[in-house]
Every structure is written in C-alpha cells, then in structure tokens.
Amino acid sequence: MKQIDSEKKLDRLKLYKLLKTIYSDNTTEEINLIANQLLQILDDFSEKSAYEEITHDERWNESHSVLITYADSITKSGEATLKTLRDLLSKHFGNLAKVLHILPFLKSTSDGGFAVSSYDSLEEKFGSWDDLKNISKNHILMADLVLNHVSSSHPWVQQFIRSQDPGIYNIFSPEQELDWSNVVRPRSSSLFSQINTKDGSKKVWTTFGPDQIDLNWHNPKMIIEFLNLIITYLSNGIKWLRLDAVGFIWKESGTTCLHLPKAHLLVKVLRDLLNNVLEDGVLITETNVPQKENLSYLISNDEAHMAYNFPLPPLLLEAIITSRADILNAWIFNWPILPEDTTLFNFTASHDGVGLRALEGLMNEDRIKDLLINCEKRGGLVSHRRLSNGDDKPYELNISWWSAMEDSSRDSNRFQFERFILTQLLVMALKGVPAFYLPALLASENDIKSFSMTGQRRDLNREKFKLDNLLSVLNNLESNANKNLKYLGNAMDVRSKLKQFHPRSEMKCLSKGRSDIVVIKRGKGSESVFTIHNMTDNKINYQLNDNDLPEIIDNNFNMRDFLTTSKYNWKNISLDPFQVIWLSAL
C-alpha cells in the first residue's frame, strides 16, 4: 500500500509541473487550486464509483476491432436507437464490434453531433446513459471528447452573450489586432464569427463554422470541465476516448495555431488523469494532417495511446481505383517506428470524408487530381479548406466507400464486392487496430437523398437505416450487406486466433516497387503469415522470395490460406482479380 501511495504522489507532482508549464501566466496559488480540484474529482470517483469492469493486462491485441456508428444509424419506431443498435449488433456483427465507437450522442445542434449543446444529456431519441452502460456489458465503448468547441446554443455561449460566469471565460474571443495571419484552416468558412453581447458586438473564434464556437483553453478551469465529462463517460462504461480536433485547441498569436506545444501538454494531462482511474483506458487522437504531425502525439509515449492512420484511406482508395499500388507499397514499406505502448487506428471509411492532407509529401498533385476526378465519376464530391493567402484547396473527398469501389466500365458493379473486401482485409493485415464503418459494411451507396435535403457533403456517407428494411436485407443471403458481414466476420474470427496480427507483432512489406500486388508479412520465422493482395482485375501468378520463408526442404513446400483453407505452393501462387489470401506454412 505504501508503494501505491508513493506512486500516486509522483503522479501528482507531475500534474503540478505540467499545469505550471501550460499556465505559466497564472499564479502558483491558482495552479495549486486547479490541481487540487482535479485530484479531488479523481479521488471522489475512485471512492464512490461502482465501476467494476474487468481491466486487462494489455489495452489491445489481435482480437480487437472497432465498429464506427452513429447512435441513430439504425432506427425502429417507438424505440430508443441505442437499444435498437445493441440488439442488432448482438445478432449480426459478432467480433467486428469488439470495440464500439458511438459517434457523438450528447445533445447537439449540427455537424452530426459535433456541435455539442449539453454535456449532461443525450439526444432523447438515442436513449439514456443506462442504454450506453448496457451496451458496455458486451462491447468496449469508445466515445468522442469534442475538446475544441461547443454549439452556439451551449450554455457557455449564452453566458458569454450575457457576460456571465463561467461562459465569459470559457469562450475564445481574442483581440483582433493580434497576428492571426498564419492560422492553418480546415474549412473555407470565416475564422471569426460575430456575436452580439451585453457589452456590444464581439468576434469569437470558429474553426469549423459559425455553429461551433471555440473554447478558451487558456483558462485552466477548462481541464476541470472536461475531467468531469470524462468521469461521466467512465461511469457509464466508456473506456476509449477519441480526442476530436485536438490539434486546434491551443491558439497563440503569430503561429499556425495547430499542434502547438501546449496542445501536446494538454494531451499529456488528459492521459495522466485517465491513467489515474482506469488502467486500460485509451486516448485516441484524431488529426487530419500530414503524417509527421499526426504521429507527433505518439512519439513521446506519454500522450495518446493511439492515432488515426490518416494516410491509409486515400492511399488505399487511389491504389484500388487505379490498380496502381506503388505509392501504397512504398508507404507500407516505410511504416513508422512507434513506442511499444502505442499503435495506429487503421481505417478506410469513416463518418467524415477521406482526408487529403495526409497525402502531402506522399502523392504528387497530378495523381491527387486524378483521384478526385475518379471519385467524382462515382458520384463523390470534394470539400475545400482556405489557405492563408485566401485560396481554397481540396481538403477531403465525400463519397461512400462502397460507391468508391465501383468499376469504371459500363458494369459499375463489376468486382465491386471484391474491391471492397480487399480494402477491409488490408486494414486487418496492417500493424495496428482495424476499424470498420457501419454504413460501409452494409454496402451503403452515396446517400443523394440526405445530401439534397441538408446540403452537407459529408451526408453522402452517413446513411440511416430502418430496422425492418435492414433486417430483410441482412437475411437475404445474396445481398451485399449479408456477404460483407459474413466474409469479414469470418476473417476477423481467423485474425483473433493469430498472434501474428497482434499490433506489436513484426510487419514487413515484401512488394515495394510493385504496382500490381501488395504483400505484407506478419510475425517471424516458421509461424509468419503472408497476406497477399491482388490489386488488379487480372489473374496474377506470384512467387514468394525464399529469403522471407522458413527453411524450405524442397520445391514442393506447401502453405495454406487461413481465409479459405486452400493449399498453395510457395513458387506458384495464383490469385484471381482482387483476391486476398493469408498464407502460412502447413
């Protein structure tokens, strides 16, 4: 017991030092007060919590995968959508949803829930905190901490308008004469929005648009507010926390206001606070930026546990559409070396578009332009951001992943299923934790109807499903949704039993310099698994390099495919168009 107490004191000392570094303009007394309040919240939770979930020795392993969904992706008349979702998952998604990321479920006014208007209540149609807790009995729950902003209807904004506490200090309204010319923008909307207040007209910072008003993280009490929200999350079964738009939270005059050192320090604080109350909690950063910036939250090994792997979706999309995987192969070959206790969140489709900033330095402008054109031919749209010189630049592709898998020939469905399955299996093969987007698994096409109603480009990829209609589709053995879930569910069952796919397991790309095939070796020695992906619509014959194989007795050395149990000779591996096999020695 003495040793535990000593460790806690060390953690507390670290917290004091972090806070003093971040809030150097505040007095020692003010910092001490904030630190003591934070520690009191942690102590109260530890003493009163009935949080009896089993903690594990490791945060993730080869059996972990994430299913991403909105709380109301599936609806049933007269029933809370979280209950509907829970029942559907238990019957149809198996271990594709060991971790369940439920996108913002708190009361909100726009942006698919990311304009949060209340930290206390869920949207009524979703259900209650108890519904979330019930889901957590069968799934590890992941939820969003929207750190950068609140809805214009949030109580803090209304207090700001009335010049009342705490809103007057919680909303970011900096002096206009300061230098904001270097700010990096994720949107083409105005950086500032004007609000009429009791004390006259004021301009507030709006990174993502006028209904999402940025918070003032220069106020140290902001950490207290979000720790209280974290405690609410933990109390209701949530263990994984996605730090939405975390790179934007700290602003300073004359800088880009993106990934500033104090933003990183705040992530360290959040990690320390989470670690104090939950041994297997996970912080995940979501920063749609070039790879080096994205990984900066992992390198020090004391910030995030995991980061979204943003280069993967556009690189894989370009490779599968063009059957040209040279850039994808080179990128996998140069996979980043990360601290052992961190990993990557590997995904293709998500609730947002396919981010393009991650391609900076990886793909030339001509190929990016061709990618945009190819997606537009498949019904996609392009969203832009505004540069400091006033120009607009493509920021993300808005298209359903299923529609993006269409063929360019007259028969748009030609090899669509095969392309889709290949992309999801490649995500499973890579080092990290695989994630799947519910509408993509259900073969959702571009949702033109929703887009035409809202004008929001991201709504092309946010289809909602009525339960009765969906069940009839899932019960149809010939439907794409049924085939997707069956095939990928089996693959995830296989993966869950193979230590070679543990996020810490060794990975090597064997196909650098090739465009037609992607070959990834996982594990070492005689138990290595070779995942081979034919990226073309032609049959391919492939031979493994004997330097990458265990000792071979003769040319008749055979291997088996874990996905189908078929046998292959290592010197003559024949793959059908867009086929994927997972080979290991017999």
Side-chain angles (χ1 to χ4, degrees):
M1 182 66 84
K2 288 181 180 178
Q3 185 177 358
I4 294 174
D5 288 342
S6 174
E7 288 175 357
K8 282 189 175 181
K9 285 180 181 178
L10 288 174
D11 287 342
R12 294 179 184 216
L13 179 60
K14 181 182 178 183
L15 177 60
Y16 280 109
K17 287 182 177 179
L18 279 172
L19 292 174
K20 285 181 180 178
T21 303
I22 298 168
Y23 298 105
S24 54
D25 291 338
N26 292 75
T27 66
T28 300
E29 289 74 20
E30 289 171 331
I31 297 301
N32 285 337
L33 180 61
I34 295 296
N36 287 333
Q37 287 179 273
L38 293 171
L39 294 169
Q40 187 61 55
I41 292 169
L42 295 176
D43 288 344
D44 290 346
F45 176 71
S46 298
E47 291 174 9
K48 299 175 183 178
S49 174
Y51 195 75
E52 297 177 353
E53 299 291 333
I54 298 172
T55 56
H56 303 279
D57 293 335
E58 53 184 4
R59 288 182 169 86
W60 47 69
N61 58 38
E62 61 278 2
S63 71
H64 283 72
S65 64
V66 182
L67 181 67
I68 306 166
T69 179
Y70 280 99
D72 62 343
S73 287
I74 317 294
T75 58
K76 178 182 178 181
S77 180
E79 184 173 82
T81 60
L82 286 171
K83 183 180 185 305
T84 306
L85 177 64
R86 180 192 180 197
D87 294 343
L88 182 78
L89 292 177
S90 64
K91 296 174 183 176
H92 293 278
F93 284 82
N95 63 5
L96 291 170
K98 180 167 184 175
V99 181
L100 183 65
H101 177 197
I102 303 178
L103 290 156
F105 43 74
L106 295 169
K107 284 186 179 296
S108 70
T109 53
S110 65
D111 195 24
F114 285 93
V116 178
S117 58
S118 170
Y119 292 132
D120 301 319
S121 307
L122 279 65
E123 289 285 353
E124 291 181 9
K125 65 178 179 179
F126 298 165
S128 66
W129 290 106
D130 284 340
D131 290 314
L132 282 172
K133 191 178 289 187
N134 286 334
I135 293 176
S136 74
K137 295 174 182 177
N138 297 312
H139 306 269
I140 298 170
L141 276 186
M142 173 174 164
D144 294 272
L145 276 181
V146 186
L147 298 170
N148 183 70
H149 49 263
V150 291
S151 163
S152 59
S153 299
H154 192 281
W156 289 342
V157 179
Q158 303 311 306
Q159 291 161 0
F160 179 84
I161 290 171
R162 298 190 297 267
S163 299
Q164 295 175 346
D165 290 341
I168 190 65
Y169 302 108
N170 289 354
I171 299 303
F172 193 60
S173 179
E175 297 176 19
Q176 293 299 296
E177 60 268 23
L178 295 175
D179 179 10
W180 305 120
S181 61
N182 296 316
V183 174
V184 172
R185 301 300 320 285
R187 296 289 184 273
S188 58
S189 56
S190 175
L191 178 59
F192 290 98
S193 296
Q194 197 155 298
I195 291 183
N196 293 320
T197 76
K198 175 186 173 185
D199 298 325
S201 179
K202 292 185 179 180
K203 288 187 175 181
V204 294
W205 193 294
T206 49
T207 298
F208 293 96
D211 191 39
Q212 292 166 287
I213 297 179
D214 285 39
L215 296 173
N216 179 24
W217 280 90
H218 291 257
N219 174 13
K221 291 183 179 179
M222 198 57 61
I223 301 176
I224 297 173
E225 300 285 1
F226 275 94
L227 179 57
N228 282 322
L229 180 56
I230 290 171
I231 294 301
T232 301
Y233 278 5
L234 299 183
S235 301
N236 289 284
I238 294 162
K239 288 187 173 185
W240 289 25
L241 302 175
R242 175 182 180 269
L243 305 183
D244 177 67
V246 65
F248 296 97
I249 62 175
W250 194 271
K251 290 93 169 168
E252 288 181 11
S253 173
T255 74
T256 62
C257 297
L258 183 60
H259 315 306
L260 296 187
K262 290 189 177 181
H264 284 277
L265 291 175
L266 284 166
V267 176
K268 292 177 191 275
V269 171
L270 292 173
R271 173 161 169 161
D272 284 349
L273 295 173
L274 180 63
N275 285 347
N276 263 276
V277 289
L278 190 62
E279 290 180 6
D280 55 351
V282 175
L283 283 187
I284 307 166
T285 48
E286 181 269 339
T287 52
N288 180 9
V289 291
Q291 179 167 281
K292 185 177 180 180
E293 297 173 43
N294 188 38
L295 298 181
S296 66
Y297 294 89
L298 300 181
I299 298 300
S300 65
N301 202 24
D302 61 353
E303 295 184 44
H305 301 99
M306 191 183 300
Y308 274 65
N309 197 354
F310 273 104
L312 176 57
L315 289 176
L316 181 51
L317 181 58
E318 197 254 359
I320 199 72
I321 285 178
T322 64
S323 290
R324 190 178 175 189
D326 54 329
I327 298 178
L328 177 64
N329 271 318
W331 175 72
I332 298 173
F333 184 85
N334 293 304
W335 198 261
I337 298 172
L338 299 172
E340 189 174 275
D341 295 331
T342 69
T343 197
L344 291 169
F345 185 98
N346 294 322
F347 69 109
T348 55
S350 77
H351 63 289
D352 287 341
V354 177
L356 299 173
R357 287 219 62 201
L359 293 179
E360 294 175 19
L362 296 175
M363 187 180 292
N364 66 46
E365 291 297 324
D366 287 341
R367 283 181 68 164
I368 293 175
K369 183 179 178 181
D370 288 342
L371 173 60
L372 304 186
I373 292 170
N374 274 314
C375 285
E376 287 177 333
K377 287 178 179 177
R378 292 161 172 80
L381 297 169
V382 181
S383 295
H384 294 76
R385 68 185 182 99
R386 185 148 295 162
L387 304 180
S388 57
N389 63 5
D391 292 343
D392 285 350
K393 186 173 183 178
Y395 178 71
E396 70 177 19
L397 280 163
N398 302 113
I399 189 170
S400 93
W401 195 264
W402 181 258
S403 292
M405 297 298 104
E406 289 180 359
D407 198 90
S408 58
S409 67
R410 290 183 179 180
D411 179 9
S412 62
N413 300 129
R414 178 176 176 262
F415 296 128
Q416 186 176 22
F417 170 75
E418 288 81 2
R419 284 189 182 89
F420 178 78
I421 292 298
L422 181 150
T423 61
Q424 306 310 296
L425 291 177
L426 193 142
V427 165
M428 289 191 204
L430 293 171
K431 196 171 186 176
V433 174
F436 312 101
Y437 183 46
L438 184 139
L441 294 180
L442 298 179
S444 172
E445 298 178 343
N446 291 326
D447 190 355
I448 304 297
K449 182 180 179 181
S450 292
F451 167 64
S452 63
M453 291 174 62
T454 66
Q456 299 297 318
R457 297 181 179 199
R458 286 178 170 178
D459 283 345
L460 279 173
N461 189 31
R462 295 177 175 179
E463 183 178 357
K464 310 292 186 188
F465 304 87
K466 292 183 178 179
L467 181 64
D468 290 344
N469 295 341
L470 179 59
L471 289 176
S472 66
V473 171
L474 291 176
N475 291 327
N476 176 5
L477 299 180
E478 297 302 313
S479 73
N480 289 315
N482 180 289
K483 290 191 287 186
N484 287 347
L485 291 178
K486 183 177 180 181
Y487 197 103
L488 295 174
N490 172 69
M492 203 55 223
D493 286 341
V494 171
R495 187 185 197 273
S496 297
K497 298 170 185 174
L498 297 173
K499 290 289 185 184
Q500 296 91 328
F501 288 107
H502 192 290
R504 282 201 301 267
S505 178
E506 184 177 294
M507 181 179 79
K508 185 178 181 182
C509 177
L510 307 182
S511 48
K512 185 186 178 186
R514 295 190 64 154
S515 289
D516 58 342
I517 199 164
V518 175
V519 184
I520 300 169
K521 178 184 177 183
R522 296 299 309 273
K524 292 182 178 180
S526 61
E527 295 185 349
S528 297
V529 174
F530 299 83
T531 69
I532 307 174
H533 312 76
N534 179 359
M535 305 297 292
T536 76
D537 59 2
N538 299 310
K539 279 198 169 187
I540 284 181
N541 290 317
Y542 178 72
Q543 176 179 320
L544 284 166
N545 188 326
D546 55 6
N547 292 329
D548 294 311
L549 291 166
E551 291 186 9
I552 299 171
I553 298 175
D554 55 42
N555 289 340
N556 295 320
F557 177 79
N558 284 323
M559 310 181 82
R560 66 165 174 167
D561 175 19
F562 281 113
L563 296 173
T564 63
T565 71
S566 297
K567 294 182 180 179
Y568 290 83
N569 181 279
W570 69 279
K571 296 194 75 174
N572 185 24
I573 300 169
S574 178
L575 293 101
D576 290 327
F578 301 108
Q579 185 182 358
V580 180
I581 53 178
W582 290 355
L583 292 183
S584 187
L586 279 172

